Amino acid sequence: AVGPDESLADVGARTSGHDGLAAFPVMADGRVVGILTVTDIEAVPRDAWPYHRVADHMTDSDRVPTLGADDVL
């Protein structure tokens, strides 16, 4: 998981070498507040990553489709 106030550079440094990861849950105060995808990160030029926060590029959790424990597939 990543935090909304982390820079994209911090996320990139922490997750480099983890091939196969496509998205990261964004957590704040113990709850999921969004999702950050590799595509979201790659849309920003790498030299600008230190100046961009996760919160500015994530998809808010209310826009992410989810299933509840009682939902039927």
Side-chain angles (χ1 to χ4, degrees):
V2 300
D5 292 325
E6 288 186 64
S7 72
L8 297 183
D10 290 340
V11 173
R14 238 184 43 220
T15 60
S16 76
H18 294 282
D19 294 335
L21 292 178
F24 310 95
V26 181
M27 305 285 294
D29 300 321
R31 62 185 186 86
V32 176
V33 296
I35 189 167
L36 181 73
T37 67
V38 170
T39 303
D40 295 331
I41 297 169
E42 290 175 343
V44 178
R46 186 177 288 259
D47 62 339
W49 285 5
Y51 312 106
H52 289 259
R53 296 178 330 126
V54 167
D56 298 328
H57 298 280
M58 70 182 198
T59 300
D60 290 328
S61 61
D62 60 346
R63 295 184 47 221
V64 177
T66 59
L67 293 173
D70 297 324
D71 291 339
V72 178
L73 295 178

